[in-house]
Amino acid sequence: MLKGIINVLISIALLAYPVLVYVGLSHGYEQQVAWVLVALLATRLLLSFKNRAIGNWILPISAFGLLVVLSAALADEPKWLQLYPVMVNTIMALTFFASLFQKQSMVERFARLQEPNLSEQGVRYTRKVTQIWCVFFVINMLVATYTVYLNDVQLWTLYNGFIAYVLMGSLAGGEFVYRYWLKRQGRLV
């Protein structure tokens, strides 16, 4: 129970990662923010060894995130803190892409949590949705990279701390509505 609460709190804090970095970079607290992020990612990494998430992406995101943030803190390179969203999107793209070469695609794994006996139509559909997510993560990674090199921490924060989340939520919500419509039409059994 406590481990679950800690995971939720860390997840919320990491969702606010761009805002934390913005505060650090804008107000001269780069080192303090970097060390707070090191602690959050180290804790998440330790917890992720026990909690294997679908696709196991939490483990590499936590490990590489810890490496990026720790490097930023030790090298006193605050700009490196802005690379975390780039790394997260890269790992997500690779994880979803790799799942296309496995028996079950990433989205199929999620779908089977609600519908263990997924139809062949459903399997084909989830494979296509996994491909769409791959494209999304690659584009998001490229835009996140571009925002780092613009040297505008406000724009970086706006994109990585708000716009990217809105786009991700829109894709997930749009797919949910479309899937519901397909089911009602009898095209996805």
Side-chain angles (χ1 to χ4, degrees), residues 51-121:
N51 299 340
R52 295 287 178 159
I54 293 177
N56 296 326
W57 69 70
I58 300 287
L59 186 63
I61 286 175
S62 300
F64 284 111
L66 179 59
L67 182 64
V68 167
V69 173
L70 187 58
S71 297
L74 293 174
D76 198 19
E77 288 289 344
K79 189 167 186 69
W80 292 359
L81 293 173
Q82 293 176 291
L83 294 175
Y84 181 74
V86 174
M87 184 232 28
V88 168
N89 281 286
T90 303
I91 290 172
M92 295 299 286
L94 291 172
T95 302
F96 275 60
F97 182 72
S99 78
L100 293 170
F101 300 97
Q102 298 170 358
K103 185 177 179 182
Q104 292 181 351
S105 68
M106 186 61 65
V107 175
E108 180 182 344
R109 292 178 201 175
F110 285 121
R112 288 192 183 275
L113 291 175
Q114 291 181 336
E115 203 166 317
N117 299 318
L118 194 61
S119 70
E120 196 55 41
Q121 284 176 309

Side-chain angles (χ1 to χ4, degrees), residues 13-14 21 37 39 49-50 58 81 89-90 101 115-116 125 136 153 155 158 167 175 177 180 185:
L14 290 175
V21 171
L37 293 169
F49 280 114
K50 294 183 179 183
I58 300 287
L81 293 173
N89 281 286
T90 303
F101 300 97
E115 203 166 317
Y125 174 79
F136 172 83
V153 73
L155 179 64
L158 176 65
L167 293 173
E175 188 279 322
V177 169
Y180 179 76
Q185 299 293 316

Side-chain angles (χ1 to χ4, degrees), residues 11-21 37 165:
S11 295
I12 291 169
L14 290 175
L15 281 173
Y17 183 99
V19 174
L20 293 172
V21 171
L37 293 169
Y165 293 146

Side-chain angles (χ1 to χ4, degrees), residues 169-181:
S170 297
L171 178 56
E175 188 279 322
F176 177 80
V177 169
Y178 181 67
R179 183 172 12 105
Y180 179 76
W181 179 79

